[in-house]
Amino acid sequence: RLTWYGARRWQLALLTGLESAAVAAVSVVAGWLQGSAAGAAAAALADAPVGGVLAESTVSLRGLGLALGAAAVTTALTALVVSLPSRSRSRVGIAEGVGAAAAIVIGVALLGGTVDEERLASSDDSATLLLLLPGLVALVAAVLVASLFRVAARLVADWSRGPLSSRLAALSLARSPGAAVATVSFLTIAFGLALLAEAYRATLVRAEREQAAFQVPLDVVVREDLGSLVRVFDAAPLDRFRALAGAGGDAYPVLRVTGGAGRAERVTGITVMGLDGGAVERLQVWRPEWADGAGREEIADRIAPGQEIDLRGADLAGNELELTVGPGLLGFVAIIETAGGRFERVELGSARADSSTLLTARVPPRSRLVSLELVPPPRLIEGGADAGVAFDGVVRLGGPLARELRTWTGVDGATVRPLAAGVDVRFVLTPQRRSRLRAQQVTDETPPAVFATPRLAELAGGAGGTLALQVGGSVVRVRVAGVLERFPGTSRDVVVGDRGALRTAINSASPGAGLENEVWLALAEDRRQAVSDALAGAPFHVLDSSSRADLEAEARRDPLARATLLALGGAALLALVLAAAGLALSVRADLRDERGELDELEAQGASPSSLRRVVRLRALVLTVGGVVAGALTGVLLVTLVTRVVSVTARGGFAEPPLAATVEIAVVAAGFAAFVLLAAALVAVATHGAFASGRGPAFRAEG
């Protein structure tokens, strides 16, 4: 019409640009204000400084820049779309081109490694792309849904055999899909982002629980306090901890040592953890994918030794150890295990060079001899002409105790030959090693079964292979029964096996190196506060304790975490409100744009109620299409975002990694609220329509 009055092309373009800019400015400003208000409310509820939060987000230079960028893009797209001829708008054109470009950006970002959690945490330039990723995915989904909706509308119109009002609704959608396509696309984006926000909120809530359970695998972990240096079982016996756990709970001793593995490519800092089967089965967090699909019960079963595997030794009668040795130039050290499970070195003295000697030493009652060391003579240690030269020979051990050593084995250069009255020990000693005797153990022939992280399993040649660990200066061989990515209570490379089997294997190779130094408590719900109070008092106050419940509570109190969760919940709610408002606006647009056709139907005999039913059925079809497409988009977004983002609600790395979670009850409640709100808005929008009632009742209904 303006061209009729002589308007030039540049003037028409300027008018289109100004109109598009006005629409974009109003939309972006409204969204920016709503986002700022939601952020301020979330910060206030989380007891965080509102001004500081806004200054680092929407009011920051980056936030304002994003708003201006969104306004510019919206202006350009709006101007481009409204400038197209009406026929071109329904064909493959600008929308499909934008969707294809967004899909290419997503593919390049994912396949090229631009998007990952490490770059997000480092806040480099790729973080912006990662933050825009959900929007790009939603855009691609909206364009795809728009294309499919046109085809589906035509098919439904051709094959519809339902009531007349439903056929008219389908026919109107097929003849004029433009506004309907835009509405479905909008609903797809709104529902998809709402599901993403809610699912990500639920995922972060789950992550807080799992992080606490990963650090404290049961309810409470008690370990040595490095400030007091009191061993756990020196402070209180295991029975005391079990009494503390109460009925329905239990206390599990845990063996944790650090070691190495490999030769040419040595791996250090390995955590070797021994657990009872009950502790493994009661882990508070576990995902089968961490161990090739193995559950907690299966892991406990595969590492169980299946036979008696206690450390063997020679029981000592009374409080004295007696051993007849020599003649020879050797010293002897007995390593004993006390009734309390501790290991002690007992100096026995040296043999005479020209005659046998009875060596004696006082030992705690009910002790066991687990190893007998042969100490080299001083000439191997002190300077001299033959210092450092290997010293070999044979020494005879006699007496009642020596007769129990006839089934023992020699290690590090010692061999045992049994005799009727004792044993002959052939030895080769150097300053670098001390030969010794020890009892033969079940683990000598059957190494403990363990689960190991991939790098350690590779050193063993895969599952079923044998891995040589260096623990306490000695080699401990274990058999890899399975591969796991991670295990609660540990980090980096880890080996997890049965506590008894690992204790025997380690202490037979290096006595005293494999001791239980932690207690994991599983508590009944009503015992948590009582246990917390008891651990703060004697005799447990000299130990360090960590509570899973306390870690969860600390995470919930964190202002950043609370604000993040509130913001995500608010974003989901706001998206649903906008979806309902958009649907009501679409109905109002239908009443205006389709007024001519609706008036014609009314003149041909359609009743106002029937015409309103047609409009409402159109809205119902759009809602169903948007909900289905939005749900699929939301699932894709949740899967994609949780795969590439490993940042918790408190801004740190997630360990264990985030696992996508959807709380069905919350989603159902949100959908129900949307349905009620949308139904109310659509009812209000159509209430006064066709009030003139020019035509007779719509008798052809059905």
Side-chain angles (χ1 to χ4, degrees):
R1 186 178 300 173
L2 291 176
T3 58
W4 298 344
Y5 293 97
R8 298 182 180 181
R9 183 171 298 178
W10 68 268
Q11 293 173 320
L12 296 176
L14 179 61
L15 177 62
T16 300
L18 291 176
E19 290 178 339
S20 302
V23 172
V26 171
S27 302
V28 171
V29 169
W32 183 85
L33 290 175
Q34 290 177 6
S36 299
L45 292 174
D47 297 327
V50 175
V53 170
L54 295 180
E56 295 296 330
S57 55
T58 57
V59 186
S60 66
L61 292 178
R62 172 170 287 190
L64 294 175
L66 287 174
L68 291 175
V73 172
T74 303
T75 299
L77 290 177
T78 304
L80 186 57
V81 170
V82 300
S83 299
L84 293 174
S86 58
R87 292 182 179 179
S88 300
R89 296 178 194 174
S90 61
R91 299 177 182 176
V92 177
I94 183 63
E96 287 75 4
V98 172
I104 292 174
V105 172
I106 295 171
V108 171
L110 294 177
L111 297 178
T114 304
V115 174
D116 59 52
E117 65 275 13
E118 292 183 1
R119 296 193 179 188
L120 174 64
S122 62
S123 300
D124 62 4
D125 295 336
S126 66
T128 302
L129 177 60
L130 181 56
L131 294 175
L132 294 177
L133 186 63
L136 294 175
V137 174
L139 175 61
V140 172
V143 172
L144 181 61
V145 168
S147 301
L148 295 176
F149 185 82
R150 294 188 182 97
V151 177
R154 288 195 296 268
L155 291 176
V156 171
D158 293 340
W159 294 92
S160 177
R161 295 295 183 269
L164 184 57
S165 57
S166 63
R167 296 202 301 271
L168 288 175
L171 182 62
S172 64
L173 288 174
R175 293 179 58 187
S176 302
V181 165
T183 302
V184 170
S185 299
F186 173 75
L187 293 177
T188 298
I189 294 175
F191 286 126
L193 293 180
L195 183 58
L196 170 63
E198 165 52 30
Y200 198 56
R201 182 203 64 80
T203 297
L204 292 180
V205 171
R206 173 183 174 180
E208 290 180 349
R209 294 195 303 266
E210 291 190 337
Q211 271 195 299
F214 201 83
Q215 296 179 52
V216 181
L218 298 189
D219 291 306
V220 176
V221 171
V222 182
R223 56 175 64 90
E224 181 180 343
D225 188 341
L226 297 181
S228 60
L229 296 179
V230 176
R231 298 179 183 231
V232 172
F233 295 109
D234 288 344
L238 180 60
D239 290 342
R240 185 75 179 270
F241 286 102
R242 285 176 173 159
L244 190 64
D250 206 345
Y252 299 95
V254 176
L255 185 153
R256 184 196 295 266
V257 296
T258 302
R263 294 182 178 178
E265 184 182 355
R266 183 173 175 80
V267 181
T268 59
I270 300 171
T271 298
V272 181
M273 178 171 286
L275 295 171
D276 293 341
V280 176
E281 293 175 359
R282 298 179 80 158
L283 291 173
Q284 294 298 305
V285 57
W286 182 256
R287 301 178 198 164
E289 61 266 25
W290 292 347
D292 295 333
R296 289 166 288 195
E297 293 78 9
E298 182 179 351
I299 292 177
D301 182 65
R302 288 166 65 177
I303 64 176
Q307 58 182 317
E308 184 66 32
I309 204 162
D310 288 341
L311 185 67
R312 297 171 179 171
D315 292 332
L316 302 176
N319 295 344
E320 194 168 64
L321 185 154
E322 295 183 351
L323 182 66
T324 302
V325 300
L329 296 175
L330 290 176
F332 294 87
V333 174
I335 301 177
I336 63 170
E337 182 184 14
T338 66
R342 297 188 60 179
F343 291 83
E344 296 182 4
R345 293 174 59 87
V346 178
E347 299 285 346
L348 296 179
S350 300
R352 296 191 182 95
D354 54 354
S355 63
S356 60
T357 308
L358 178 63
L359 303 179
T360 62
R362 301 287 294 179
V363 296
R366 294 179 294 142
S367 297
R368 287 193 305 165
L369 177 67
V370 297
S371 181
L372 184 65
E373 284 189 4
L374 281 62
V375 181
R379 69 183 181 88
L380 287 181
I381 303 174
E382 299 173 355
D386 54 355
V389 178
F391 175 66
D392 60 353
V394 178
V395 64
R396 177 162 297 180
L397 307 181
L401 180 59
R403 286 193 289 271
E404 295 190 41
L405 308 184
R406 288 179 293 185
T407 60
W408 284 30
T409 184
V411 295
D412 293 336
T415 57
V416 176
R417 185 169 69 91
L419 302 172
V423 295
D424 275 350
V425 180
R426 181 173 294 277
F427 58 87
V428 178
L429 304 180
T430 69
Q432 288 75 32
R433 69 179 183 182
R434 293 186 178 183
S435 299
R436 63 188 181 91
L437 310 182
R438 66 170 177 83
Q440 295 185 10
Q441 308 293 340
V442 175
T443 55
D444 295 340
E445 299 296 330
T446 307
V450 299
F451 273 71
T453 44
R455 184 163 61 155
L456 300 179
E458 184 179 356
L459 291 177
T466 301
L467 176 66
L469 299 173
Q470 282 87 35
V471 180
S474 300
V475 175
V476 179
R477 300 192 179 277
V478 296
R479 178 178 58 85
V480 178
V483 181
L484 52 77
E485 294 292 334
R486 53 180 46 83
F487 194 83
T490 67
S491 61
R492 302 177 60 186
D493 289 307
V494 61
V495 169
V496 178
D498 178 77
R499 177 180 64 89
L502 286 176
R503 188 183 197 278
T504 296
I506 294 173
N507 288 323
S508 65
S510 181
L515 293 178
E516 292 83 352
N517 46 17
E518 290 183 10
V519 176
W520 291 2
L521 301 178
L523 309 176
E525 187 74 25
D526 58 353
R527 288 287 300 164
R528 292 181 178 175
Q529 187 58 49
V531 170
S532 177
D533 296 339
L535 290 175
F540 307 105
H541 66 286
V542 295
L543 302 176
D544 177 56
S545 62
S546 301
S547 167
R548 179 170 53 86
D550 290 345
L551 292 178
E552 290 184 17
E554 179 184 352
R556 289 193 296 267
R557 290 193 300 267
D558 183 80
L560 177 59
R562 292 176 59 193
T564 300
L565 299 177
L566 288 170
L568 288 171
L573 181 61
L574 180 60
L576 292 178
V577 172
L578 290 177
L583 183 63
L585 182 62
S586 172
V587 170
R588 297 291 297 179
D590 285 344
L591 292 174
R592 181 195 63 197
D593 297 339
E594 306 293 332
R595 185 67 192 181
E597 296 181 2
L598 295 173
D599 285 346
E600 184 178 350
L601 290 174
E602 187 177 13
Q604 293 177 4
S607 67
S609 62
S610 298
L611 295 177
R612 286 193 292 268
R613 189 179 303 114
V614 170
V615 176
R616 291 168 181 171
L617 282 174
R618 282 172 55 100
L620 178 61
V621 171
L622 299 181
T623 301
V624 172
V627 168
V628 173
L632 295 176
T633 303
V635 171
L636 176 62
L637 284 170
V638 172
T639 304
L640 180 63
V641 169
T642 53
R643 186 177 71 86
V644 300
V645 178
S646 292
V647 179
T648 66
R650 290 188 282 179
F653 282 116
E655 182 59 32
L658 300 182
T661 302
V662 177
E663 293 185 1
I664 302 300
V666 176
V667 173
F671 177 72
F674 163 78
V675 170
L676 293 176
L677 179 60
L681 292 177
V682 170
V684 171
T686 58
H687 176 69
F690 316 110
S692 60
R694 293 195 302 265
F698 197 11
R699 300 182 182 88
E701 179 66 42

